Amino acid sequence: MKVSARNVFHGKVSAITAGAVNSEVELTTDGGHKLVAIVTQASVRELGLAPGKPAFALVKASWVMLLTDDAGVRLSARNRLRGTVSKLVPGAINTDVVLTLPGGSQVHAVITSEAVRELELKEGSPATALIKASHVVLGVAG
Amino acid sequence: MKVSARNVFHGKVSAITAGAVNSEVELTTDGGHKLVAIVTQASVRELGLAPGKPAFALVKASWVMLLTDDAGVRLSARNRLRGTVSKLVPGAINTDVVLTLPGGSQVHAVITSEAVRELELKEGSPATALIKASHVVLGVAG
Amino acid sequence: MKVSARNVFHGKVSAITAGAVNSEVELTTDGGHKLVAIVTQASVRELGLAPGKPAFALVKASWVMLLTDDAGVRLSARNRLRGTVSKLVPGAINTDVVLTLPGGSQVHAVITSEAVRELELKEGSPATALIKASHVVLGVAG
């Protein structure tokens, strides 16, 4: 598979909560991280998603927020991946920030360069990637 | 809290409509604007969201569309914030547009530079920020 | 209507599946493509969406993923539009890629320049645009 999404997480479905139109699917990645995705019920059927099934999650880098100090707040973004900034590729408006998670997985976040300055992000900075469950695309091998 | 999202709106929960997987939460901001967010039921429980509760909304600048002339159309994007362009930071592909709302709140929108030209956006232009309810992250103080 | 979203698809509502909070709305575009949108029930009511009703879909270019080789995988992204790359406007971090679909409709995708290199995208390359149903905004003429 060749896809433009910078973040591809492989793992297994670990839980499914079904609604009328949408379902919440939890993926446990090979690196041991948990990712929750909201997908349509039709997708759950078509992809044959069920607990234990191998699957992968796709997330565009522009859908990832970074948090450096949560000041004790709690957020509705279901997915929080803690890591360390390992690379920054700056542009005029946006910067591509790479976070390396414990275990070695990487997360790309494209955020504004203004935010990079404000959060004082540099190589080695601890940061948390926030990803809304409704921004995760799930896939399975054919 | 230090977060990369350029838009942080503080206010109070003013209404909640619950579904099986998702809930629709309305926040009335301190500036008097209403923002609707779709979050999972699990988030509503974990954040203890209820009418009257202080909360905040996070929206990435790249999730905001700008509209300058609605020509009488109606849109499914639940959140519409009318304001005036107060700043433009242009890049090759994207431009960071800042809208100032009546009351002084600001909204950042990262849109393509092509769109800026097509909409003839400049300082002082009236514009409406459109934000999908499913693109709003909610948070509460710990 | 003047809107920053680079993708505007006109057509007619061809199906609606209602849930408690959200509904899944299928639009058949004038070009014969099918697009599925997840919008709130409140939007379905306010826009008077019903099978046969003329409507349009808005999608920001930054919400579109590109796929060049699906290697037989199946994905939860409900919308897949196959076309040919007809234009690339490169920036430092992001590139605006235009896909032309059979029939002549165009789809803009803003993806990272790194992804453009990795997928070896150039004019004439076949590619598929992936759009999550929850990223589609629907509209109707007033």
Side-chain angles (χ1 to χ4, degrees):
Chain A
M1 183 188 54
K2 292 180 83 173
V3 68
S4 64
R6 294 298 80 195
N7 299 301
V8 184
F9 302 100
H10 291 271
K12 279 185 181 161
V13 174
S14 42
I16 298 186
T17 307
V21 168
N22 289 313
S23 287
E24 185 177 315
V25 179
E26 185 192 76
L27 186 81
T28 299
T29 70
D30 295 343
H33 305 285
K34 282 186 194 303
L35 273 178
V36 173
I38 300 283
V39 299
T40 61
Q41 272 283 47
S43 288
V44 170
R45 282 193 305 273
E46 284 164 26
L47 272 61
L49 298 175
K53 170 136 185 162
F56 57 85
L58 300 178
V59 182
K60 277 197 78 151
S62 55
W63 301 344
V64 180
M65 287 185 187
L66 293 180
L67 181 76
T68 52
D69 173 7
D70 71 3
V73 302
R74 284 172 293 153
L75 296 167
S76 66
R78 300 297 306 282
N79 299 303
R80 270 154 269 187
L81 300 168
R82 271 169 224 191
T84 303
V85 174
S86 51
K87 193 177 168 190
L88 293 118
V89 183
I93 301 302
N94 290 310
T95 293
D96 185 359
V97 181
V98 183
L99 221 63
T100 298
L101 309 184
S105 309
Q106 292 194 322
V107 180
H108 281 254
V110 168
I111 64 174
T112 61
S113 301
E114 183 185 276
V116 171
R117 286 189 295 273
E118 207 174 290
L119 272 59
E120 300 175 33
L121 292 176
K122 48 182 186 291
E123 281 186 37
S125 303
T128 299
L130 300 176
I131 303 167
K132 277 210 78 156
S134 57
H135 287 178
V136 179
V137 171
L138 292 180
V140 297
Chain B
M1 183 188 54
K2 292 180 84 174
V3 67
S4 65
R6 293 299 79 194
N7 299 301
V8 184
F9 302 100
H10 289 272
K12 278 185 181 160
V13 174
S14 43
I16 298 185
T17 306
V21 168
N22 289 313
S23 288
E24 184 178 316
V25 179
E26 184 192 77
L27 186 81
T28 299
T29 70
D30 295 344
H33 304 286
K34 281 186 195 305
L35 274 178
V36 173
I38 301 283
V39 299
T40 61
Q41 273 282 46
S43 288
V44 171
R45 281 194 306 273
E46 284 164 27
L47 272 60
L49 297 175
K53 171 136 185 165
F56 57 86
L58 300 179
V59 182
K60 276 197 81 152
S62 55
W63 302 344
V64 180
M65 287 184 186
L66 293 181
L67 182 78
T68 52
D69 174 7
D70 72 5
V73 301
R74 283 171 293 153
L75 296 167
S76 67
R78 301 297 305 281
N79 299 303
R80 271 154 269 188
L81 300 167
R82 271 168 223 192
T84 303
V85 174
S86 51
K87 193 177 169 189
L88 294 118
V89 184
I93 301 301
N94 289 310
T95 292
D96 185 358
V97 181
V98 183
L99 222 63
T100 298
L101 309 183
S105 309
Q106 293 195 322
V107 179
H108 281 255
V110 169
I111 64 175
T112 61
S113 301
E114 184 187 273
V116 170
R117 286 189 295 272
E118 206 174 291
L119 272 59
E120 300 174 33
L121 293 175
K122 49 182 187 291
E123 280 187 38
S125 303
T128 299
L130 301 175
I131 304 166
K132 277 209 78 155
S134 57
H135 287 179
V136 179
V137 171
L138 292 180
V140 297
Chain C
M1 182 189 54
K2 292 181 82 174
V3 69
S4 65
R6 293 298 81 194
N7 300 301
V8 183
F9 302 100
H10 290 271
K12 278 185 182 161
V13 174
S14 43
I16 298 187
T17 307
V21 168
N22 289 313
S23 288
E24 185 178 315
V25 179
E26 185 192 75
L27 187 81
T28 300
T29 70
D30 295 343
H33 304 286
K34 282 186 194 304
L35 274 178
V36 173
I38 301 283
V39 300
T40 60
Q41 273 282 46
S43 288
V44 171
R45 281 193 306 274
E46 284 164 26
L47 273 59
L49 297 175
K53 171 137 186 164
F56 57 86
L58 300 178
V59 182
K60 277 197 79 152
S62 55
W63 303 344
V64 180
M65 287 185 187
L66 293 180
L67 182 77
T68 52
D69 173 7
D70 71 5
V73 300
R74 283 172 293 154
L75 296 167
S76 67
R78 300 297 305 282
N79 299 302
R80 270 154 271 186
L81 301 167
R82 270 168 225 194
T84 303
V85 174
S86 51
K87 194 177 168 191
L88 294 118
V89 183
I93 301 302
N94 289 311
T95 292
D96 185 359
V97 181
V98 183
L99 222 63
T100 298
L101 309 183
S105 309
Q106 293 194 321
V107 179
H108 280 255
V110 169
I111 64 175
T112 61
S113 302
E114 184 187 274
V116 170
R117 286 189 295 273
E118 206 175 290
L119 272 59
E120 300 175 33
L121 292 175
K122 50 183 184 292
E123 281 187 36
S125 304
T128 299
L130 300 175
I131 303 166
K132 277 210 78 156
S134 58
H135 288 179
V136 179
V137 171
L138 292 179
V140 298

